[in-house]
Amino acid sequence: MGSITADPPKPWIETPLIPSLELSKKAGCNIYLKLDLLQPSGSFKSRGVGNLMSLALARHPRPGTVHYFSSSGGNAGLACATTAATLGRPATICVPTTTTPFMVGKIRGLGAQVIQAGENWAAADKYLRGNLLDEDRGGVYVPPFDHPDIWAGARSVVEEIHRQMDGASGRCATPVDAIVCSVGGGGLLCGIMEGITRLKWPGGQRPRVLAMETIGAEGLHLSMKAGKVVTLAEITSLATSLGCTRIADAAFEWAMQGGVVSGTVTDREAVEASVWFADDARLCVEAACGAAISPVYTGELRRLLGEGMSDEEWGGKNVVLEVCGGSNTGFAQLQEYVRKVGL
């Protein structure tokens, strides 16, 4: 293992924010792409997981003994393994039995130990904490989404958007009317909402957030309808990266404060969006990310965010898509998605 330094390397990067002419034409408004698929782990998880792990290392009384333990459906585990390799510390990742061999191979390829247990993230997490974590005195638990340090890391995406929008337009004080993101456990949503509320926005108008989920993993959507946090009996969506049976309480609280619009798409629509996005943007993302891109292609973006607006008014809106990425994808995996949904 590499030596531990007092100032470990930052395990995530500032990602580009670019305007998309192709998606803007389809949406009828100005679409910007926040390219978090370019993070070291291939997803936005590098931000929150990386922040938590870096802080834990700095705070630990014996940093040389730190061993990271994480449970994940895939992307958080890969972010943990990537960050652990960057920080020069070992990691053990517990993933559900439904995690693809493709993703398991990626995590193992970074030098982390991978253990498969349980049919979903909750079961894998229970196994990790009950059977693995307590056996290591240097063990540091790395949750995939439900922790203030995770949210603080995810908040950086909004801080970057806030700064980058001026450069994207060439003029100062460019408004951001909405940010669209996918929701699994809600860590990204918490970070985005924290960032939005902490920053000053043009005209005092905060961006709205469109929180997208696939049907079969729509824990936030059902919770908002019920007025309380709902625990899903099972995850039936093929977008397994969104496969959390219960969202973070903090995510629900943010959503109920206002400014959050909930939307859902089918697995087919999420996969279609991933395929069309590969054509339009020449970028490959997994179906969980396709959930956030789908409203552009289906027309739901205007229905959910621009209902009642004239074409001219809607055409002037600036909407940022958080292209959260996801490493459970590639040409072969995209083909498998297409086969499963019958495209």
Side-chain angles (χ1 to χ4, degrees):
M1 293 294 177
S3 60
I4 303 299
T5 66
D7 187 19
K10 183 179 175 181
W12 75 91
I13 64 170
E14 179 171 316
T15 56
L17 176 73
I18 63 171
S20 172
L21 294 178
E22 287 290 338
L23 271 71
S24 294
K25 285 190 294 185
K26 290 176 170 64
C29 65
N30 303 314
I31 298 293
Y32 296 84
L33 306 176
K34 182 59 172 163
L35 299 178
D36 262 5
L37 81 170
L38 300 179
Q39 290 293 346
S41 70
S43 85
F44 77 98
K45 291 287 188 180
S46 285
R47 295 180 184 271
V49 168
N51 187 56
L52 182 147
M53 291 173 66
S54 295
L55 291 175
L57 186 65
R59 295 166 179 161
H60 203 280
R62 293 191 301 160
T65 69
V66 167
H67 184 143
Y68 296 107
F69 289 84
S70 182
S71 57
S72 167
N75 287 314
L78 188 63
C80 179
T82 302
T83 301
T86 300
L87 298 177
R89 299 308 309 152
T92 296
I93 317 297
C94 189
V95 301
T97 56
T98 53
T99 302
T100 64
F102 178 81
M103 180 62 87
V104 170
K106 279 197 166 190
I107 296 173
R108 283 184 175 145
L110 290 166
Q113 179 185 18
V114 180
I115 295 172
Q116 290 190 267
E119 295 181 353
N120 53 42
W121 167 76
D125 185 67
K126 182 178 180 180
Y127 181 86
L128 174 84
R129 293 203 271 183
N131 297 276
L132 303 174
L133 182 60
D134 292 341
E135 295 180 3
D136 194 313
R137 294 183 63 186
V140 172
Y141 176 56
V142 183
F145 60 85
D146 198 357
H147 193 283
D149 291 342
I150 298 279
W151 311 332
R155 187 175 71 224
S156 63
V157 73
V158 179
E159 295 165 348
E160 291 174 17
I161 290 169
H162 187 270
R163 182 174 63 254
Q164 292 170 322
M165 277 298 287
D166 290 344
S169 68
R171 68 181 194 276
C172 294
T174 306
V176 179
D177 297 291
I179 298 173
V180 185
C181 68
S182 297
V183 176
L188 177 60
L189 177 63
C190 288
I192 287 175
M193 294 304 294
E194 280 190 8
I196 286 174
T197 55
R198 288 179 180 225
L199 294 168
K200 293 182 179 179
W201 300 92
Q205 187 66 41
R206 293 174 177 173
R208 288 187 291 168
V209 175
L210 176 55
M212 296 299 303
E213 299 169 287
T214 50
I215 295 171
E218 72 276 37
L220 177 66
H221 185 75
L222 294 175
S223 295
M224 290 179 71
K225 286 180 66 176
K228 61 180 181 180
V229 178
V230 171
T231 301
L232 302 179
E234 61 178 335
I235 301 297
T236 58
S237 171
L238 64 75
T240 54
S241 295
L242 302 182
C244 180
T245 56
R246 183 181 175 89
I247 62 167
D249 289 342
F252 173 73
E253 291 165 6
W254 277 118
M256 297 304 287
Q257 288 181 23
V260 175
V261 180
S262 173
T264 61
V265 297
T266 64
D267 281 346
R268 182 185 177 93
E269 288 169 332
V271 170
E272 284 180 330
S274 296
V275 173
W276 291 329
F277 190 68
D279 284 339
D280 289 337
R282 296 165 300 284
L283 296 169
C284 188
V285 297
E286 65 176 68
C289 181
I293 298 167
S294 178
V296 169
Y297 292 104
T298 63
E300 284 290 282
L301 188 71
R302 181 165 183 178
R303 187 187 71 80
L304 292 169
L305 297 177
E307 189 172 12
M309 295 182 188
S310 66
D311 289 347
E312 182 178 3
E313 184 180 7
W314 174 244
K317 297 300 181 183
N318 299 316
V319 178
V320 176
L321 303 185
E322 163 61 359
V323 185
C324 57
S327 291
N328 191 21
T329 193
F331 183 67
Q333 186 63 37
L334 205 55
Q335 285 185 311
E336 180 63 12
Y337 284 151
V338 168
R339 185 193 66 79
K340 284 184 176 180
V341 299
L343 285 180

